[in-house]
Amino acid sequence: NFLFIGSYRDNETDDTHPLTVQLQELKKKDVTIIDINVGCISKDDVNILISDTIRMQRHLTKSLSGIVYKKTGGNALFVSQFLQSLWDEGLLMYLLEYNTWQWDVDAVDTKELIDDVGVLMARKIRQLPIGCQYIIKLLACLGSTCDESILTLFMREGEDLTGGISAKERRWETEHINNFLMLDVAVDEGLLKKEGSNYIFAH
């Protein structure tokens, strides 16, 4: 027996899409195919997610989760990215002296939500150090997954392509390029994942 698990966006595949055609062919051959539609999460689930994330009791996070749900519609990716942006902009803060989280309900409610994943990712990338942006551009040219050794080779070959980077920034980049510290920034920001020696785009 063989079990294959795959995922795709059904709003991007019409009846003529190769994947749709292949699935229809498999069904004609009596291959068992089970479709699991993954939709948005409920308002209660958003509250549970936020409560578990910041480790506060659920009745205390309802004021925050209610706004987050209203803005994201329960889209799990938007929920996580919106929470991250609240933290980045200081709208969601951890108070050490009180050992608790605090947020400004009015400020969170008026915050703009970027509902385009591409725009959201582009904005996050532009906030990274210039050297890190350069390496991510190289990584994007190599596909969604790339081994560290291959990326190192391309970075060496592409050193003369870093036009527009100041001498100071170039020195900073050269000092750190071998140990991939700059890509660690992208990993910390959730843009990349590191699995073994492979770097993988998170979205």
Side-chain angles (χ1 to χ4, degrees):
N1 294 332
F2 180 75
L3 173 65
F4 176 80
I5 300 175
S7 64
Y8 66 96
R9 297 176 180 174
D10 56 6
N11 63 322
E12 297 178 359
T13 54
D14 57 21
D15 293 338
T16 61
H17 191 279
L19 175 61
T20 306
V21 174
Q22 184 63 44
L23 290 175
Q24 293 299 328
E25 289 297 322
L26 290 173
K27 289 179 180 178
K28 291 178 182 178
K29 296 178 181 179
D30 294 328
V31 175
T32 301
I33 297 178
I34 300 175
D35 294 319
I36 302 176
N37 294 318
V38 181
C40 295
I41 59 180
S42 68
K43 185 176 182 179
D44 287 339
D45 287 336
V46 171
N47 188 47
I48 292 172
L49 174 62
I50 293 176
S51 172
D52 290 346
T53 300
I54 63 178
R55 298 187 178 184
M56 287 184 67
Q57 295 182 16
R58 293 173 186 174
H59 71 276
L60 297 175
T61 57
K62 281 189 174 181
S63 63
L64 176 60
S65 66
I67 299 173
V68 173
Y69 179 78
K70 179 180 68 175
K71 287 184 170 292
T72 63
N75 183 301
L77 173 60
F78 290 159
V79 169
S80 62
Q81 294 295 339
F82 188 66
L83 284 176
Q84 181 65 50
S85 67
L86 294 180
W87 164 258
D88 292 340
E89 297 176 22
L91 300 179
L92 177 62
M93 302 168 290
Y94 185 73
L95 304 179
L96 284 173
E97 59 270 33
Y98 299 109
N99 193 31
T100 189
W101 289 87
Q102 185 180 70
W103 53 87
D104 185 330
V105 172
D106 293 333
V108 173
D109 195 28
T110 57
K111 177 175 168 52
E112 176 188 5
L113 171 69
I114 301 174
D115 58 1
D116 185 297
V117 177
V119 174
L120 188 64
M121 295 298 104
R123 176 175 291 186
K124 293 190 71 172
I125 290 173
R126 286 196 296 269
Q127 294 173 345
L128 296 174
I130 189 70
C132 187
Q133 292 183 41
Y134 166 66
I135 300 177
I136 286 180
K137 289 178 183 178
L138 282 180
L139 185 58
C141 294
L142 299 173
S144 59
T145 303
C146 182
D147 186 85
E148 190 174 287
S149 61
I150 302 298
L151 185 57
T152 300
L153 176 63
F154 273 81
M155 285 191 292
R156 289 173 180 169
E157 293 295 327
E159 285 180 355
D160 60 339
L161 301 178
T162 56
I165 301 178
S166 68
K168 181 178 180 181
E169 290 167 332
R170 191 187 300 274
R171 286 195 301 272
W172 184 88
E173 176 181 311
T174 303
E175 291 172 359
H176 295 80
I177 202 168
N178 291 329
N179 55 17
F180 288 84
L181 286 180
M182 286 182 290
L183 280 183
D184 288 344
V185 177
V187 172
D188 292 340
E189 289 294 326
L191 294 167
L192 297 176
K193 294 187 292 184
K194 181 75 182 297
E195 295 183 0
S197 62
N198 287 322
Y199 284 96
I200 305 169
F201 278 101
H203 304 291

